[in-house]
Amino acid sequence: MSRSTRYTVTVQFGDCDPAGIVFFPNFLRWMDASSLHFFRTCGLPPWRELERTRGIVGTPVLEIQTRFSSPATYGDTIDVHTRIESWRNKVFVHSHRVMLGERLLCEGTETRAFVERGTDGRIHAIPVPEDIRALCS
Amino acid sequence: MSRSTRYTVTVQFGDCDPAGIVFFPNFLRWMDASSLHFFRTCGLPPWRELERTRGIVGTPVLEIQTRFSSPATYGDTIDVHTRIESWRNKVFVHSHRVMLGERLLCEGTETRAFVERGTDGRIHAIPVPEDIRALCS
Amino acid sequence: MSRSTRYTVTVQFGDCDPAGIVFFPNFLRWMDASSLHFFRTCGLPPWRELERTRGIVGTPVLEIQTRFSSPATYGDTIDVHTRIESWRNKVFVHSHRVMLGERLLCEGTETRAFVERGTDGRIHAIPVPEDIRALCS
Amino acid sequence: MSRSTRYTVTVQFGDCDPAGIVFFPNFLRWMDASSLHFFRTCGLPPWRELERTRGIVGTPVLEIQTRFSSPATYGDTIDVHTRIESWRNKVFVHSHRVMLGERLLCEGTETRAFVERGTDGRIHAIPVPEDIRALCS
């Protein structure tokens, strides 16, 4: 079984749209925050430090997939449960389940890659660093 | 061939993250804006008017899927090309392609449903209204 | 001395701009969240409930003023300290101090009014309700 | 008379809150975008280029002040009229007026400084560069 983390957020008034429910891109914001929280919990330093020491800028998303089951509104406290679903050569897949208590709000996957910034200033994917993979397993 | 619309956005400094590129949930914001723009272009009134006249609150997303191919940064002017990929009984699928000139930034689908607000204040999906489907085809 | 509340937020990667620091409008988002948190802590129900029972939609801002002293970045945990600086007839003034530990990040005021939605659908300010003022003092 | 620019934005559904009106921190986002648009219109390159060539990271805000007069909602097209109200030694003051046609939505000032990133990675204010001031007058 892989390691799983929980990231807790309280929904703000400004996170909700005129229908009174969370504007859905905010769920993606929270999944992104939970992804970074996962790596910090596993012992990785902030990206800005990894960039300085190893040239790793972060883990941009390559693909996402999300199913929304139930809405949330401001004042709700929600939990994002995050784990690594699979490690491949150059990418890995995060799985996120967003819960309001026992109720599933949405769940989805993010495919991400570790990237470096080249000498031309552009970013490109690198193979998943072995030590980082070991830390997170 | 189905109708297609184009929604243009200029990327702002605040849309970008510490890596200097668009923070990906913003692409979802723009797809959402392009979805509403699609319906307005087809002749639908704003949701607040449809709610008053017909009880239709909007078209929340049930599922999304997006592949990110290339980053964008502030100052870039991007186009979201939107069409309806399929109509089903209770849902429809939007297809969005986000372009920076000739370069594809990301593309994805959104599955959405038209919803009404019940007397208990909660929203629920309704079959796609025939007249709206006709307007948008 | 008036009542003071503390609202805690962890800065997310996506809250930061290409300079690597919090994009300043987010501080205003957090002050707004802290304002609502203040009222909830004082015993007020969510706005959606106050709208149903008393027609009060919320407390939109009429004026803001903020000084920024020091930046924050993702991973920082910050506290918004909020109180009512003054009550007037139709408005009240919130004071917010945003701290990172002992370091002041920014501080400011918001002038707000309680509003109702009229029969024409538009919102308008009402005198500060006496019972709410009593609850919050 | 100083130079004035106009930045146009169409309000999106997701920019609005449960009261159906623009969530106010978005007005600050648009003023920020209009500030950068002002400098680009005056002939300045993007910040990322100025950072590479001259070490100038941008113009963070030191202080803001805004009065909100009238709400806006999704579908509205609004204009941010921006100019420099005053230049001082280390700071300058932007003035923004946000209009919906002839109707004033909000107006405010931003006090900003040009900043460089020091060798310790932290940013600090520098005197307003004379050539930039000349470009913008």
Side-chain angles (χ1 to χ4, degrees):
Chain A
M1 264 305 284
S2 79
R3 186 195 282 248
S4 170
T5 56
R6 186 176 63 167
Y7 181 76
T8 300
V9 176
T10 300
V11 177
Q12 301 175 359
F13 183 77
D15 295 327
C16 298
D17 65 20
I21 58 177
V22 170
F23 183 54
F24 78 90
N26 290 317
F27 283 114
L28 286 306
R29 283 205 300 123
W30 300 325
M31 289 181 182
D32 184 78
S34 187
S35 167
L36 178 50
H37 175 254
F38 175 90
F39 286 117
R40 299 301 312 278
T41 303
C42 292
L44 259 71
W47 302 130
R48 57 184 170 274
E49 212 172 301
L50 265 189
E51 184 168 8
R52 213 155 38 222
T53 56
R54 299 174 57 170
I56 295 174
V57 175
T59 58
V61 298
L62 304 177
E63 192 168 342
I64 58 170
Q65 209 164 341
T66 309
R67 270 185 310 282
F68 300 90
S69 309
S70 184
T73 190
Y74 59 95
D76 288 344
T77 295
I78 67 181
D79 295 311
V80 187
H81 297 270
T82 293
R83 58 187 188 81
I84 304 271
E85 194 175 288
S86 63
W87 296 97
R88 301 185 204 149
N89 178 30
K90 276 213 168 179
V91 304
F92 63 94
V93 180
H94 256 321
S95 149
H96 304 284
R97 286 174 61 84
V98 185
M99 308 292 294
L100 172 52
E102 294 301 303
R103 179 151 58 93
L104 176 67
L105 301 185
C106 60
E107 59 183 334
T109 56
E110 295 169 331
T111 305
R112 292 173 176 266
F114 286 86
V115 299
E116 286 180 355
R117 192 179 298 281
T119 47
D120 59 351
R122 300 186 56 180
I123 60 179
H124 59 271
I126 57 169
V128 174
E130 275 308 318
D131 61 326
I132 292 181
R133 178 170 170 173
L135 255 184
C136 302
S137 298
Chain B
M1 265 306 283
S2 79
R3 187 196 282 247
S4 169
T5 57
R6 186 176 62 168
Y7 181 75
T8 301
V9 175
T10 300
V11 177
Q12 300 175 1
F13 183 77
D15 295 327
C16 298
D17 65 21
I21 59 177
V22 171
F23 182 55
F24 78 90
N26 290 317
F27 283 115
L28 284 307
R29 282 205 301 124
W30 299 325
M31 288 180 182
D32 184 78
S34 187
S35 167
L36 178 50
H37 176 255
F38 175 90
F39 286 117
R40 299 301 313 279
T41 303
C42 291
L44 258 71
W47 301 130
R48 58 185 170 272
E49 211 171 304
L50 265 188
E51 184 169 8
R52 213 155 37 223
T53 56
R54 299 175 57 170
I56 296 173
V57 173
T59 58
V61 297
L62 303 178
E63 192 168 344
I64 58 170
Q65 208 164 341
T66 309
R67 270 185 310 281
F68 300 89
S69 309
S70 184
T73 190
Y74 59 95
D76 289 344
T77 295
I78 67 181
D79 295 310
V80 187
H81 297 271
T82 294
R83 59 188 188 80
I84 304 272
E85 194 175 289
S86 63
W87 296 96
R88 301 184 204 149
N89 177 32
K90 275 215 169 178
V91 304
F92 63 94
V93 180
H94 257 321
S95 149
H96 304 284
R97 286 174 61 86
V98 185
M99 309 291 295
L100 173 52
E102 295 300 305
R103 179 151 60 91
L104 176 67
L105 300 185
C106 61
E107 59 183 333
T109 55
E110 294 169 332
T111 305
R112 292 173 175 266
F114 285 86
V115 299
E116 287 181 353
R117 191 178 298 280
T119 46
D120 59 353
R122 300 187 54 182
I123 59 178
H124 59 271
I126 56 169
V128 174
E130 275 309 316
D131 61 325
I132 291 181
R133 178 170 171 173
L135 255 183
C136 300
S137 299
Chain C
M1 264 307 283
S2 79
R3 186 195 282 248
S4 169
T5 58
R6 185 176 64 168
Y7 181 77
T8 300
V9 176
T10 300
V11 177
Q12 302 176 358
F13 184 77
D15 295 327
C16 299
D17 65 20
I21 57 176
V22 171
F23 182 55
F24 79 89
N26 290 317
F27 282 115
L28 285 306
R29 282 205 301 123
W30 300 325
M31 289 181 183
D32 184 78
S34 188
S35 167
L36 178 50
H37 176 255
F38 175 90
F39 286 117
R40 298 302 312 280
T41 303
C42 292
L44 259 71
W47 301 131
R48 56 185 170 274
E49 212 172 303
L50 264 189
E51 184 168 9
R52 214 156 36 224
T53 55
R54 299 175 57 171
I56 295 174
V57 175
T59 57
V61 297
L62 303 177
E63 192 168 343
I64 58 171
Q65 209 164 340
T66 310
R67 269 184 311 280
F68 300 89
S69 308
S70 184
T73 189
Y74 59 95
D76 288 344
T77 296
I78 66 181
D79 296 310
V80 187
H81 297 270
T82 294
R83 57 188 188 81
I84 303 271
E85 193 174 289
S86 62
W87 296 96
R88 301 185 203 147
N89 178 32
K90 276 214 169 177
V91 304
F92 63 93
V93 180
H94 256 322
S95 148
H96 305 284
R97 286 175 60 85
V98 185
M99 307 293 294
L100 172 53
E102 295 300 306
R103 179 153 59 91
L104 176 67
L105 301 184
C106 60
E107 59 182 335
T109 55
E110 295 169 331
T111 305
R112 291 174 176 265
F114 286 86
V115 299
E116 286 181 353
R117 192 177 297 280
T119 47
D120 59 352
R122 301 187 54 181
I123 60 178
H124 59 271
I126 56 169
V128 174
E130 275 308 316
D131 61 325
I132 292 181
R133 178 170 171 173
L135 256 183
C136 301
S137 298
Chain D
M1 264 305 285
S2 79
R3 187 196 281 247
S4 170
T5 57
R6 186 177 63 169
Y7 181 76
T8 301
V9 175
T10 300
V11 178
Q12 301 176 359
F13 183 76
D15 295 326
C16 298
D17 65 20
I21 58 176
V22 171
F23 183 54
F24 78 89
N26 289 316
F27 283 114
L28 284 307
R29 282 205 301 124
W30 299 326
M31 288 181 181
D32 184 77
S34 187
S35 167
L36 179 50
H37 175 256
F38 175 90
F39 285 118
R40 299 301 313 278
T41 303
C42 292
L44 258 72
W47 300 130
R48 58 185 169 273
E49 211 172 302
L50 265 188
E51 184 168 8
R52 212 155 38 223
T53 56
R54 300 175 57 171
I56 296 174
V57 174
T59 57
V61 297
L62 304 177
E63 191 169 343
I64 58 171
Q65 209 165 341
T66 309
R67 268 184 312 281
F68 301 89
S69 308
S70 184
T73 191
Y74 59 96
D76 289 343
T77 296
I78 67 181
D79 296 309
V80 186
H81 297 270
T82 294
R83 58 189 189 80
I84 304 272
E85 195 174 288
S86 62
W87 296 98
R88 301 183 204 150
N89 178 31
K90 276 214 168 179
V91 304
F92 63 93
V93 180
H94 257 322
S95 149
H96 303 285
R97 286 174 61 84
V98 185
M99 309 291 295
L100 173 52
E102 295 300 305
R103 179 152 59 92
L104 177 67
L105 301 184
C106 60
E107 59 182 334
T109 56
E110 294 169 332
T111 305
R112 292 173 176 266
F114 285 86
V115 298
E116 286 180 355
R117 191 177 299 279
T119 47
D120 59 352
R122 300 187 55 181
I123 59 178
H124 59 270
I126 56 168
V128 174
E130 274 309 315
D131 61 326
I132 292 181
R133 177 170 172 173
L135 256 183
C136 301
S137 300

